[in-house]
Amino acid sequence: MSGSSPPAAATLAPRALRHRRSARRLTVKQRADLRSAITAAQGISDDRGYQAWAGIHGLPLPISCVHGSELFLPWHRAYLYFFEKALQDQVPGVTLPWWDWTNHAEGIPGPYGTRRAEGKTNPLYDSPIQPSGRNNPRHARTVRDPGSPGELPSTQTVERLLANRDYLTFQGELENIHGGVHVWVGGTMGEVPSAAYDPIFWAHHCMIDRLWYLWQLRHGGSVPASQLNRALAPFPMTVRDTLDITQLGYDYAASTAAAKGPNG
Ligand SMILES: [Cu+2]
């Protein structure tokens, strides 16, 4: 964690909510802002930069991400929160979009799918991988090998998921669905040690975070009391700090959040 990291969310005064939007529905300006923020973060070689943020998840060691545990959703919520703040330090107001992979009309969403955008290299298409972050020493950049869009999780799968009342059951099922999408993207995304270097990692996890939020809206669900004070290292947050996204200063775009449905 950077020495200049913001304080824990619980100590921050409430402020205007920023909306995270579907990657497919970004305006031209929102796309451009996102590309600018990622490009700027890629240009920073210290711990505020893209490579350092991607490296927190996996390589270089320690591998901090939490999978297969009760902390899967809270840990990744904290991770996205601080990464988004790092992007906002570069381009004020920018937010992470989510990839609605239940829309089978396309696989990789448009802003992430082309090598070039607006006449320049598209920083959402791929990313360098710092030498210490390479799972395979020969892989200096992220690659993808996506399946066909129809193999992605369906709206019915998401509906069944959201119907779970029990938090831990819900979380376990969501993590499984999430893992399938990592494998679907393939290449770098298919390997935990390097997955977060692929720019689409953040849009995928934003969708996971949004599904947790939709579940929270539907079930008013909290997590088991025994979980609340667990720390989410290396982030200065506990599980409790992650439960209310409006306290964290963001929301999912109103039209879709209000529908409480899976369609972004
Ligand atoms: Cu993941």
Side-chain angles (χ1 to χ4, degrees), residues 151-214:
E151 295 162 359
L152 286 164
S154 65
T155 51
Q156 291 86 339
T157 299
V158 167
E159 265 311 306
R160 275 198 302 276
L161 167 77
L162 291 174
N164 276 300
R165 288 164 182 272
D166 177 68
Y167 170 74
L168 293 177
T169 309
F170 164 76
Q171 177 173 242
E173 280 188 26
L174 180 51
E175 182 170 0
N176 279 339
I177 292 170
H178 137 273
V181 174
H182 272 277
V183 170
W184 183 92
V185 175
T188 309
M189 272 283 277
E191 306 170 343
V192 168
S194 54
Y197 289 91
D198 187 330
I200 206 167
F201 170 92
W202 308 97
H204 173 39
H205 269 274
C206 195
M207 175 69 169
I208 301 301
D209 189 68
R210 173 174 168 270
L211 291 176
W212 182 20
Y213 172 66
L214 294 178

Side-chain angles (χ1 to χ4, degrees), residues 101-144:
W101 25 249
T102 64
N103 172 17
H104 291 180
E106 62 179 2
I108 302 291
Y112 293 81
T114 56
R115 198 178 284 277
R116 295 181 69 76
E118 304 283 324
K120 290 193 217 151
T121 300
N122 180 6
L124 306 178
Y125 180 76
D126 66 357
S127 163
I129 306 174
Q130 58 188 334
S132 60
R134 293 174 195 164
N135 195 34
N136 178 331
R138 291 181 303 142
H139 291 172
R141 292 191 77 82
T142 62
V143 291
R144 299 173 188 152

Side-chain angles (χ1 to χ4, degrees), residues 10 74 77 212 216 222-223 225 227-232 237-245 247-248:
R77 179 167 281 176
W212 182 20
Q216 289 180 301
S222 186
V223 305
Q227 299 289 317
L228 289 174
N229 292 321
R230 294 186 66 182
L232 302 173
M237 277 190 186
T238 61
V239 170
R240 187 195 310 274
D241 296 327
T242 67
L243 295 182
D244 182 353
I245 64 170
Q247 281 296 315
L248 297 177

